């Protein structure tokens, strides 16, 4: 195996190990558990109901009394650790975040909303500039719907982390990465009908197997991250090779090149791990923020490439 291949395998394995080695020193601490027991006995009728009426934001976001006590005691534990000169602890494998309007990770919610808006705005521009009869229109429209659905569930998950919202976030994120690969393969192998059928069958099979794995309850952040990285790097390699061999006649494809390069660079943020800045901005939220402007590059390619294909195959009526 080449040196580059060994580095790639190492990064994938490291990602898997990081995902399974959940750091939860905060929720295992004596301070946290003592506070939790006291809070529940004084503030809760049971694990769900409060003795006193909670703020409207907690009612709206369906916070239970047990969860609210966990939040309060989390900050008491953080204050104790910091006062004693210790590192900021994680709780149940996550960094502590300030709760805003009942949302658990407000920065990720905001940036996920911005990504949703960027896809919605650019999709409208795509429809205004590309006719439905043009090649690749329906494939890219399908991709846009997948992305809008994915960012919607990202907003929901980062607002309230529940098993269902977690499964939806992971499955929809994977569907976005896989669908981009699918659409790029359709574009590169355009008009090859047998190849189209094979690619489509493969796409459906991989999507079904991965979603079945997630919905069986086997949600592992490291595994899913590694799988997404593998699919993303495959898309990067195939797209860059296609551009390199066609760079003289496909000048408009520079947009997808920059999209690919910048996407790989900003994804490195996911490897970072540090306490949230101002208890709001962590590496994951900053990664979400960085993907907003990249959406423009991707849709510019989609629009210009559909226009190119329309001219190139102006005499053909076959399109996906």
């Amino acid at each position: 195996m080449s040196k580059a291949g060994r580095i790639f395998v190492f990064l994938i394995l490291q990602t898997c190990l990081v995902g399974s080695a959940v750091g939860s020193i905060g929720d295992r601490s004596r301070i946290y558990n003592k506070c939790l027991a006291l809070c529940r006995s004084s503030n809760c009728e049971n694990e769900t109901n409060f003795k006193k009426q909670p703020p409207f934001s907690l009612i709206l976001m369906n916070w239970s009394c047990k969860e609210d006590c966990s939040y309060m005691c989390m900050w008491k534990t953080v204050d104790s650790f910091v006062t004693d000169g210790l590192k900021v602890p994680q709780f149940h494998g996550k960094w502590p975040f300030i709760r805003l309007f009942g949302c658990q990770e407000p920065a990720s919610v905001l940036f996920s909303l911005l990504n949703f808006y960027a896809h919605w705005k650019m999709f409208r521009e795509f429809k205004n500039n590309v006719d439905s009869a043009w090649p690749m229109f329906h494939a890219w429209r399908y991709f846009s719907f997948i992305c809008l659905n994915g960012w919607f569930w990202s907003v929901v998950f980062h607002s309230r982390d529940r098993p269902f919202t977690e499964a939806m976030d992971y499955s929809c994120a994977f569907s976005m990465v896989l669908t981009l690969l699918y659409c790029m393969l359709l574009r590169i192998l355009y008009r090859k009908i047998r190849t189209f059928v094979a690619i489509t069958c493969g796409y459906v099979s991989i999507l079904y197997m991965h979603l079945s794995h997630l919905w069986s309850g086997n949600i592992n952040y490291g595994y899913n991250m590694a799988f997404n990285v593998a699919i993303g790097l495959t898309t990067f390699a195939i797209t860059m090779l296609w551009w390199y061999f066609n760079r003289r006649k496909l000048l408009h494809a520079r947009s997808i090149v920059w999209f690919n390069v910048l996407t790989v660079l900003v994804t490195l943020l996911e490897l970072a791990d540090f306490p949230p800045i101002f208890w709001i901005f962590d590496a994951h939220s900053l990664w979400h923020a960085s993907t907003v402007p990249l959406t423009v590059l991707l849709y510019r390619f989609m629009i210009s490439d559909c226009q190119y294909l329309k001219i190139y195959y102006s005499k053909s009526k076959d399109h996906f």
Side-chain angles (χ1 to χ4, degrees):
M1 184 183 295
S2 67
K3 183 178 179 181
R6 289 195 299 271
I7 292 174
F8 174 72
V9 171
F10 171 76
L11 288 174
I12 295 297
L13 291 175
Q14 186 182 47
T15 305
C16 293
L17 291 173
V18 170
S20 59
V22 177
S24 305
I25 189 173
D27 58 90
R28 293 199 306 266
S29 70
R30 180 183 59 82
I31 299 170
Y32 176 82
N33 285 284
K34 184 178 179 180
C35 172
L36 202 59
L38 181 62
C39 179
R40 290 183 186 178
S41 63
S42 59
N43 297 336
C44 304
E45 290 183 358
N46 50 49
E47 290 192 348
T48 303
N49 299 322
F50 296 81
K51 288 183 179 179
K52 295 182 180 181
Q53 183 79 354
F56 176 72
S57 61
L58 300 190
I59 298 174
L60 182 65
M61 300 302 291
N62 196 30
W63 280 78
S64 68
C65 188
K66 175 185 176 182
E67 292 170 331
D68 187 52
C69 281
S70 296
Y71 176 79
M72 298 299 181
C73 292
M74 174 184 74
W75 287 113
K76 183 175 181 179
T77 306
V78 169
D79 290 341
S80 178
F81 271 60
V82 172
T83 300
D84 292 339
L86 301 175
K87 293 182 179 180
V88 176
Q90 289 188 333
F91 296 82
H92 304 288
K94 293 191 174 184
W95 293 111
F97 291 91
I98 288 178
R99 182 175 63 193
L100 292 177
F101 308 108
C103 297
Q104 289 177 275
E105 300 178 23
S108 289
V109 171
L110 173 62
F111 296 138
S112 294
L113 279 170
L114 289 176
N115 274 283
F116 181 91
Y117 174 74
H119 275 275
W120 174 252
K121 188 176 188 306
M122 293 306 299
F123 175 60
R124 294 184 64 179
E125 185 173 335
F126 174 79
K127 289 202 304 178
N128 290 335
N129 289 276
V130 178
D131 190 271
S132 61
W134 293 4
M136 287 296 296
F137 172 86
H138 295 292
W140 287 122
R141 183 177 66 170
Y142 171 68
F143 170 72
S144 296
F145 289 160
I146 290 291
C147 289
L148 288 169
N149 179 66
W151 286 113
F152 168 79
W153 283 108
S154 179
V155 171
V156 174
F157 168 66
H158 290 299
S159 298
R160 291 293 281 123
D161 181 356
R162 297 289 179 82
F164 174 74
T165 60
E166 182 180 37
M168 289 301 297
D169 179 61
Y170 285 169
S171 59
C172 292
F174 173 75
S175 67
M176 286 193 285
V177 176
L178 183 62
T179 303
L180 179 57
L181 173 61
Y182 171 65
C183 288
M184 286 307 304
L185 288 174
L186 292 186
R187 168 59 185 92
I188 294 170
L189 301 170
Y190 185 70
R191 290 176 63 95
K192 294 178 173 58
I193 302 302
R194 290 183 180 178
T195 308
F196 163 73
V197 173
I199 291 173
T200 302
C201 290
Y203 165 76
V204 172
S205 299
I206 294 173
L207 187 61
Y208 174 77
M209 287 188 296
H210 193 76
L211 298 187
S212 298
H213 173 81
L214 283 172
W215 285 102
S216 66
N218 299 318
I219 300 176
N220 180 281
Y221 179 80
Y223 167 81
N224 285 282
M225 182 63 182
F227 213 76
N228 284 354
V229 169
I231 295 293
L233 289 177
T234 300
T235 305
F236 175 84
I238 290 174
T239 303
M240 295 300 282
L241 284 172
W242 168 71
W243 167 79
Y244 179 79
F245 289 114
N246 296 275
R247 62 190 184 280
R248 284 183 170 74
K249 67 176 182 178
L250 300 177
L251 298 179
H252 65 276
R254 291 174 182 172
S255 295
I256 195 68
V257 171
W258 280 110
F259 170 81
N260 272 321
V261 172
L262 293 174
T263 297
V264 170
L265 290 177
V266 300
T267 303
L268 295 176
L269 281 169
E270 283 288 86
L271 300 178
D273 191 31
F274 52 83
I277 302 169
F278 306 123
W279 306 115
I280 295 178
F281 304 98
D282 67 329
H284 186 72
S285 68
L286 295 177
W287 173 59
H288 280 334
S290 65
T291 58
V292 176
L294 299 186
T295 304
V296 177
L297 288 174
L298 179 57
Y299 276 84
R300 281 181 181 173
F301 165 75
M302 290 160 53
I303 293 170
S304 58
D305 194 59
C306 285
Q307 292 171 343
Y308 167 82
L309 288 174
K310 187 261 181 182
I311 296 172
Y312 192 81
Y313 295 108
S314 58
K315 295 182 181 180
S316 175
K317 295 182 180 180
D318 297 328
H319 62 274
F320 293 118

